[in-house]
Amino acid sequence: MKPIRSFLFIPGDSEKKIAKADATGADAIIFDLEDAVAMDNKAAARKLTAAALADRPPGKRVCQLWVRINPMDSGMAKDDLAAIIAGQPDGIMLPKANSPADVATLSQWLDAMEMESELDTGSVKILPLTTETAIAPFYLGEYASAGLTRLYGLTWGAEDLAAALGASTNLGADGTWAFTYKMVRSMCLMAAHASGVEAVETVYVDFRDSEGLRTACLAARSEGFSGRMAIHPAQVPVINEAFTPSEKEVAHAARVVAAFADNPGSGVVGLDGKMLDVPHLKAAQRVLAQAE
Ligand code: COA
Ligand code: MG
């Protein structure tokens, strides 16, 4: 399956923004019930999100529809799920996940709810935000052996972690992520690949800066992220393009795969005077999978 390039957040209580979902071109929408929704609006957001899903049943969707529920320890997560599950979301984003155990608990809730709603068991995927609490990064290495079959990928967040650390900023003097955030970002990237799932880059908050976004997306893809979260529709085309391999990359990848196919049983081949071995083949196959 082709990875999701863009996940666009839409506040679950915004009828106006929800109405724009289908025209944004995002590979996936995330209706947010968490931080983008004020406490007084939580109930309204559940209702509007459930209606948005019901209006777009599977088979009639122009993109995947995900829902970000409230955190496991908020006391709201189970009711969030119960309110929206009948609408058959493609996936659930879990914020402030402390460890794989949180994802396992969510998965068990989904097992039961899918059964009650007569949905296919295991059809709803999960994407946890794995670096939003102070303890969470210490558990990243455990995702790989946790047996979480619903896991779509792992993603990370810098805003809530800064709050959890009592930090006044998450940026360094040069304007890039401060060391702590670079560290957890890399750990999330490695944990995702160790788990055999997608690594999803965090949001780019300066939504008017499309050049900066493009540069950051290209860097993220070259490091092994396959997609990115967006907060504004203007970010979607930039992200989609940056996470789609160029024609040149696709052509080269096809030649790499062909070179191995021409030498069956060989773990190493030469192409254009360069040695290629199995990691190159895997990278080429990944590029072809990402391409249209
Ligand atoms: N989804 C759908 N439509 C959106 C949108 C989104 N995420 N963000 C903005 N739009 C719409 C606006 O409604 C506006 O429509 P209009 O032209 O009919 O008035 C248009 O796009 C242009 O919006 P703009 O004026 O540039 O931005 P804004 O000031 O209205 O909104 C934000 C800025 C950040 C509040 C808004 O983009 C947003 O709500 N983003 C998502 C926030 C979120 O969910 N965060 C949680 C995860 S971090
Ligand atoms: Mg948050």
Side-chain angles (χ1 to χ4, degrees):
M1 195 192 68
K2 238 173 29 167
I4 295 166
R5 298 166 301 176
S6 51
F7 284 91
L8 174 65
F9 277 111
I10 298 188
D13 61 347
S14 173
E15 210 162 359
K16 185 180 155 197
K17 289 173 191 160
I18 290 173
K20 299 193 163 136
D22 296 339
T24 61
D27 287 346
I29 296 289
I30 306 173
F31 298 115
D32 191 19
L33 303 179
E34 198 218 7
D35 285 344
V37 178
M39 205 47 85
D40 287 349
N41 278 351
K42 295 287 185 189
R46 279 179 190 155
K47 256 195 171 154
L48 274 177
T49 297
L53 291 168
D55 287 347
R56 299 166 181 79
K60 288 193 179 158
R61 286 183 185 166
V62 301
C63 66
Q64 289 199 19
L65 300 178
W66 287 60
V67 178
R68 180 163 79 170
I69 60 172
N70 285 283
M72 294 306 271
D73 60 4
S74 66
M76 295 182 276
K78 207 168 192 175
D79 291 339
D80 287 341
L81 273 188
I84 57 95
I85 194 71
Q88 291 185 252
D90 295 284
I92 300 297
M93 172 176 265
L94 180 65
K96 300 180 182 74
N98 282 314
S99 74
D102 280 347
V103 177
T105 303
L106 171 59
S107 190
Q108 285 161 10
W109 292 354
L110 284 168
D111 289 345
M113 289 185 190
E114 281 170 342
M115 207 126 69
E116 277 165 36
S117 308
E118 295 180 0
L119 307 177
D120 291 343
T121 309
S123 59
V124 181
K125 301 293 168 212
I126 301 176
L127 175 61
L129 277 148
T130 59
T131 69
E132 290 193 315
T133 70
I135 197 70
F138 295 96
Y139 288 93
L140 273 164
E142 297 189 9
Y143 281 92
S145 55
L148 300 169
T149 52
R150 293 177 185 271
L151 205 60
Y152 166 81
L154 300 179
T155 190
W156 75 286
E159 310 303 326
D160 287 281
L161 181 58
L165 301 182
S168 57
T169 177
N170 47 31
L171 301 178
D174 65 356
T176 69
W177 296 122
F179 176 73
T180 302
Y181 308 89
K182 283 184 178 150
M183 178 180 71
V184 298
R185 174 180 178 274
S186 295
M187 288 169 67
C188 176
L189 171 66
M190 291 184 285
H193 287 280
S195 308
V197 299
E198 303 299 329
V200 180
E201 176 66 299
T202 196
V203 295
Y204 190 86
V205 286
D206 189 356
F207 61 82
R208 305 270 182 237
D209 177 14
S210 54
E211 258 328 294
L213 172 63
R214 187 188 319 276
T215 305
C217 289
L218 290 173
R221 184 162 81 84
S222 66
E223 282 181 88
F225 289 93
S226 59
R228 170 161 220 161
M229 296 183 270
I231 48 172
H232 192 283
Q235 295 184 318
V236 168
V238 178
I239 293 174
N240 284 351
E241 197 198 330
F243 284 96
T244 304
S246 68
E247 275 176 34
K248 212 172 134 191
E249 284 172 281
V250 174
H252 180 71
R255 287 184 65 223
V256 171
V257 170
F260 279 92
D262 290 344
N263 294 276
S266 177
V268 60
V269 298
L271 184 69
D272 304 334
K274 288 203 180 95
M275 184 202 78
L276 302 175
D277 57 8
V278 173
H280 297 103
L281 176 60
K282 281 191 184 155
Q285 286 166 336
R286 199 172 155 75
V287 168
L288 293 182
Q290 283 172 335
E292 223 85 46

